[in-house]
Amino acid sequence: MNWKPTLVFGILFGAALAAWALLRPAPSGPAGERERPFSARADEFTRLEIQVPGQPEVVLERAAAKDAVPAWRIREPIDQPADDTRVADMIQGLRRLTRDGSIAPSDPRYSLAEYGLEKPLLSVHAFVGADKKAIRFGRTTVDPQVRYFMIDGEPDVYLGPADAFEAFHAKLIDLRSRKIAHFQPQRVRAFVLETKFLRPLVRIDEEGNRRPVWELDEQGKPKVNEHGQKIPKQEVVYERTEFQFRERPETPGGLRGWSIVRADGEEWNEPADAGRLELLISDLRDATADEFIEPTSLAAYGLEYPEVRCAFELADSDEPLVFEFGNVEEREGRKRIYVRVRRAGEILAVSGALTERLGRRRGDFRSRDVYDFTKEEIESIELVSETGRLKIQKEVQEEKGDEGAAAGPVWKIVEPADFRKDKYADIESYISLLLRAQIAEFMGRQTDLKSFFLDPPGLSATFRLKYQDGSTSEKTYRFGYPGAGANAHLLKPGRPEVFAVSSAYWRSIERMDLHLRDPAMFDLPRDAIREIHVDIEGDRVLKAVRYGVRKNEQGDWEFLEPSQEKVDADRMAAMLARVNYIRAESFLSRSPAIAREYGLDGPDPYGRLTIRYAPDRERPSDVRERTIRFSRAYPDDRRRHHLYYAKLEPAAGEPDRHPDVMIVFRISGDFVDMLREGVAWVKTGDPGHRPIEEPGGHDHEDEKPKRNP
């Protein structure tokens, strides 16, 4: 074994042991029995005075209110909110100090100069109410985690954790709260948003005409741009929107929660987007400053004329809390915005979510809900358009049944009076769908409502409402649609402002009762059918098809044209099983424009199916006729199947604008293919022959097939 390293290690260990023995404080009592210098609870400390040689004294004070945010404030050398977490670390450091073990003045090792306490590195005056206690910190011992300290009025030197000193030995900037403002979101009762705009400056001449004002050069001549055009002088204006939070409606049926009460001085009464407003309030409450900047030049930071001003009215303050937002810049890959809080006066550089989510326009905080009431408040709905009328009314259902089922509202369609409802349709779900309308765009005041198809409107929706307090009101919403897939337009009650809603919503509301209608378009017993005529145009792939069949006196089916072959009984049975009950796979609209779009309104549609029938068995000579037009084939979204659209022709004595006659609906592609295939007999073994599978069809007395969703 090499003895030299062992000898060196032994010498070092001995030296360390000797040093510990020399510096170890002599116990003046049993460990843990002496009272701590600071035994008060953390929330009982009221003031801290920190003195570092060569630096101004730092004074921290606790706010008088117990629920104040922040709880501590820097009073000297600046007056700013303090970082409560930093102050908590200071108090915790004081509470960890003990008197266990001390170096008394009688100890030969006692030397204030050697311990750094003759001229302390840092002194703290801690107040618990009116009681004050002072602590002086010196240098660390041979162990850097331990530091000498003294308590004013006591001659002994104590040892304590070094981090108690470090908590106080911080830069003033680090003691400040980084939050840009301190407030409780639930105390925000009102909010004013001002957004900057630039508009050309004009002057009024002697004749009352508006004349533009131009930017001038040093010679007093109008400046021109690169295209030689004069540059108009701009003036700064602010769009002002006032929001208010209402715990309860001010009037029967009025708004509660966040609403817009004024816009540019005009009285409003419109719901605000509560989620967006509350998100902004939370973002401002949580925003922290990356940098504090002395306001030497507001213009350099875009704050001479701020882009956005937000002013909060707080329930516990007479003075509004005002935020001004200036330029946005990117630094080290992060966006940050310059903010000035009027109470502080400084300029703060803020990054994070606030730069992305700060609303800058009135429309950013307006509710996009079209309707400002609930389904439970609706008593009736009336939709009126050029194609028809639908009225839905709520009725109270009385208790019924042996078990006494609870009473509740029942929705009924009262117009049209002869409405045939699909038994699988749910009126309440339809109303919920109706109320989910959202505003796509705020288009402002418009004087020419005709250009927005709102004078007259294409459709009006009137809601009769009854509120919880028993009061009632009526609200009518007017819709117009320019066509060609564009957004529809909306005029809400009581406001000359136009809104845009999606074309999908327009198509949904314009269909009115078609959401709820029985899908049957033609329905009668098979034995009532007397003749069937099919006329389908050809195209590049398929030939034209024209034929007619009738039931003769013997009850057999034959072609109307003698030259045509005989009727295949199996094929004929399959056709009868389909044509006696013709159902819509889905309803599109009653709009004439939709009918024209699919070629269903012209004199020569792509296809016609005419059925002659005797609806009354007791009167077989009373033969009537129903013709169904259908469109050419359209591919589906995946281009795998053909889609056909159809429309009824008016029957004899039936008006052209009968609600059923105006419906454009989708018809089964298999149905049209069956009509095209025909009913001519094909002998077995013929290449064109395939077995016919007769579908279940629909007997008049049978249960109707369930409508596809």
Side-chain angles (χ1 to χ4, degrees):
M1 178 178 177
N2 191 339
W3 58 271
K4 290 182 179 180
T6 304
L7 179 61
V8 172
F9 176 76
I11 293 170
L12 292 174
F13 178 76
L17 189 62
W20 176 81
L22 287 171
L23 295 173
R24 176 172 61 91
S28 56
E33 291 186 359
R34 303 184 69 184
E35 184 183 1
R36 290 176 178 267
F38 298 95
S39 57
R41 298 194 314 269
D43 60 357
E44 293 178 326
F45 285 77
T46 55
R47 181 180 174 97
L48 297 172
E49 297 173 353
I50 307 167
Q51 298 162 355
V52 178
Q55 296 182 18
E57 181 183 43
V58 176
V59 177
L60 299 160
E61 278 188 358
R62 180 186 290 277
K66 289 185 177 181
D67 59 348
V69 179
W72 286 85
R73 190 170 186 88
I74 303 172
R75 291 302 185 188
E76 297 290 343
I78 59 174
D79 187 12
Q80 292 291 346
D83 186 334
D84 283 345
T85 304
R86 289 272 190 176
V87 180
D89 290 342
M90 294 177 182
I91 295 173
Q92 181 63 19
L94 293 177
R95 285 167 48 81
R96 289 176 60 196
L97 298 177
T98 70
R99 291 188 175 93
D100 295 343
S102 63
I103 304 173
S106 58
D107 193 307
R109 297 167 298 169
Y110 188 88
S111 172
L112 297 184
E114 184 179 342
Y115 300 150
L117 290 165
E118 192 172 52
K119 295 180 179 179
L121 300 179
L122 185 145
S123 299
V124 177
H125 292 179
F127 291 77
V128 177
D131 297 334
K132 180 176 101 170
K133 191 168 288 185
I135 296 291
R136 290 174 288 160
F137 289 96
R139 65 176 181 83
T140 58
T141 67
V142 291
D143 182 355
Q145 302 300 318
V146 180
R147 186 177 290 273
Y148 298 107
F149 74 92
M150 292 185 73
I151 304 169
D152 275 10
E154 299 182 19
D156 288 4
V157 175
Y158 302 99
L159 280 76
D163 54 7
F165 168 86
E166 298 299 336
F168 289 95
H169 197 258
K171 294 180 179 178
L172 180 63
I173 193 69
D174 295 331
L175 297 180
R176 288 190 60 176
S177 172
R178 291 273 173 179
K179 287 194 172 184
I180 67 172
H182 297 83
F183 63 94
Q184 296 178 352
Q186 66 270 23
R187 295 190 173 179
V188 179
R189 314 310 296 166
F191 164 48
V192 177
L193 174 72
E194 293 182 300
T195 304
K196 183 178 80 171
F197 289 93
L198 294 176
R199 69 182 179 193
L201 185 64
V202 298
R203 62 179 178 84
I204 308 298
D205 63 15
E206 292 125 0
E207 298 176 356
N209 299 316
R210 296 167 62 88
R211 301 292 184 186
V213 178
W214 309 109
E215 290 281 358
L216 303 177
D217 59 18
E218 295 177 355
Q219 286 76 37
K221 296 180 179 179
K223 293 182 180 179
V224 295
N225 58 23
E226 57 185 359
H227 304 292
Q229 299 168 330
K230 295 179 181 178
I231 301 174
K233 194 170 185 177
Q234 305 283 328
E235 66 173 337
V236 175
V237 292
Y238 283 88
E239 172 193 81
R240 181 183 173 91
T241 311
E242 298 177 39
F243 303 83
Q244 188 175 354
F245 184 83
R246 295 171 173 144
E247 293 283 356
R248 55 184 58 86
E250 294 181 350
T251 58
L255 300 175
R256 60 183 301 170
W258 281 106
S259 59
I260 301 174
V261 294
R262 269 176 294 278
D264 295 325
E266 178 188 351
E267 296 293 329
W268 276 35
N269 188 33
E270 179 182 306
D273 186 337
R276 188 67 187 271
L277 267 175
E278 289 165 4
L279 184 62
L280 172 67
I281 293 170
S282 297
D283 282 345
L284 289 172
R285 188 253 334 251
D286 297 334
T288 56
D290 298 337
E291 184 182 354
F292 300 98
I293 303 167
E294 287 300 322
T296 54
S297 171
L298 295 178
Y301 300 97
L303 289 165
E304 184 178 13
Y305 297 102
E307 295 293 324
V308 180
R309 289 195 195 101
C310 298
F312 291 164
E313 181 183 309
L314 305 175
D316 55 352
S317 176
D318 295 332
E319 182 184 357
L321 178 59
V322 181
F323 300 88
E324 297 179 335
F325 300 91
N327 295 339
V328 176
E329 67 172 24
E330 190 164 335
R331 181 176 294 187
E332 298 177 354
R334 297 183 68 193
K335 285 185 178 179
R336 65 181 199 171
I337 188 170
Y338 292 107
V339 184
R340 189 163 74 119
V341 183
R342 286 274 185 87
R343 285 184 177 179
E346 294 175 301
I347 295 175
L348 313 172
V350 179
S351 59
L354 188 62
T355 61
E356 303 294 335
R357 296 206 291 251
L358 176 65
R360 295 175 178 271
R361 297 290 184 267
R362 180 182 299 152
D364 294 337
F365 298 100
R366 296 180 71 176
S367 173
R368 291 190 176 267
D369 294 333
V370 168
Y371 306 107
D372 58 0
F373 46 83
T374 66
K375 181 173 61 179
E376 290 70 28
E377 293 170 330
I378 299 174
E379 290 292 297
S380 69
I381 304 171
E382 188 170 6
L383 305 180
V384 180
S385 74
E386 60 178 5
T387 61
R389 177 190 300 266
L390 172 67
K391 185 174 181 180
I392 302 173
Q393 192 163 302
K394 181 166 66 177
E395 297 180 1
V396 177
Q397 177 176 308
E398 301 296 336
E399 292 187 355
K400 62 179 182 178
D402 297 336
E403 299 179 1
V410 174
W411 294 97
K412 291 188 177 181
I413 296 174
V414 295
E415 285 189 52
D418 57 349
F419 181 72
R420 300 194 311 273
K421 177 181 169 295
D422 181 358
K423 67 178 181 180
Y424 301 104
D426 183 359
I427 298 177
E428 190 164 352
S429 297
Y430 168 65
I431 295 172
S432 297
L433 176 69
L434 198 68
L435 296 182
R436 283 203 289 265
Q438 292 284 293
I439 293 169
E441 185 181 353
F442 301 98
M443 307 185 72
R445 289 175 176 271
Q446 304 294 335
T447 55
D448 183 13
L449 295 180
K450 287 184 181 293
S451 63
F452 291 90
F453 300 85
L454 290 168
D455 185 17
L459 181 145
S460 64
T462 300
F463 297 83
R464 292 174 179 85
L465 308 167
K466 185 175 183 179
Y467 304 105
Q468 194 171 8
D469 60 3
S471 61
T472 61
S473 72
E474 182 176 297
K475 296 184 178 183
T476 298
Y477 297 77
R478 296 169 174 82
F479 296 86
Y481 183 56
N487 281 337
H489 302 125
L490 162 68
L491 196 63
K492 296 173 73 173
R495 185 181 304 284
E497 181 179 8
V498 174
F499 305 86
V501 295
S502 71
S503 57
Y505 182 74
W506 162 262
R507 288 193 296 270
S508 176
I509 193 173
E510 186 265 344
R511 288 169 64 196
M512 294 199 295
D513 59 299
L514 298 183
H515 291 276
L516 307 167
R517 186 189 188 280
D518 187 333
M521 298 302 297
F522 184 73
D523 185 8
L524 76 164
R526 299 180 198 179
D527 59 6
I529 298 176
R530 297 290 181 263
E531 291 183 13
I532 298 174
H533 299 259
V534 177
D535 188 346
I536 305 176
E537 296 291 337
D539 54 33
R540 290 180 299 176
V541 178
L542 300 172
K543 294 181 180 180
V545 175
R546 292 178 178 85
Y547 63 89
V549 293
R550 67 184 173 189
K551 184 189 290 187
N552 59 28
E553 294 180 356
Q554 291 76 34
D556 298 325
W557 286 89
E558 61 186 12
F559 283 106
L560 292 172
E561 296 293 334
S563 61
Q564 291 183 302
E565 301 181 17
K566 78 171 188 176
V567 172
D568 186 306
D570 291 337
R571 290 177 181 269
M572 192 66 221
M575 177 175 287
L576 289 171
R578 299 290 295 272
V579 300
N580 80 306
Y581 177 71
I582 299 174
R583 68 189 296 274
E585 296 212 325
S586 64
F587 294 112
L588 270 69
S589 174
R590 287 192 177 90
S591 168
I594 299 296
R596 288 192 297 270
E597 181 180 342
Y598 291 105
L600 297 171
D601 259 6
D604 298 309
Y606 179 79
R608 268 193 177 97
L609 167 65
T610 300
I611 303 169
R612 304 191 70 212
Y613 60 97
D616 189 348
R617 293 177 182 178
E618 303 298 327
R619 301 170 58 194
S621 60
D622 179 17
V623 178
R624 302 178 188 180
E625 185 174 291
R626 172 62 74 191
T627 298
I628 300 173
R629 298 177 167 216
F630 49 91
S631 69
R632 65 175 179 85
Y634 290 85
D636 65 2
D637 292 339
R638 298 184 178 181
R639 308 188 73 83
R640 292 181 180 177
H641 303 285
H642 288 160
L643 303 178
Y644 293 89
Y645 300 95
K647 183 176 180 288
L648 301 179
E649 286 188 2
E654 195 172 48
D656 291 347
R657 298 185 67 81
H658 186 280
D660 288 353
V661 168
M662 298 183 70
I663 298 173
V664 178
F665 59 96
R666 184 158 63 87
I667 197 169
S668 167
D670 292 340
F671 178 80
V672 178
D673 291 343
M674 177 206 67
L675 296 178
R676 184 180 284 281
E677 192 171 285
V679 293
W681 178 82
V682 179
K683 63 182 178 179
T684 305
D686 189 294
H689 173 77
R690 64 177 178 85
I692 297 296
E693 295 182 6
E694 181 175 332
H698 174 65
D699 286 323
H700 197 256
E701 295 80 9
D702 295 342
E703 183 69 21
K704 298 178 185 178
K706 186 173 181 178
R707 182 181 181 184
N708 291 331

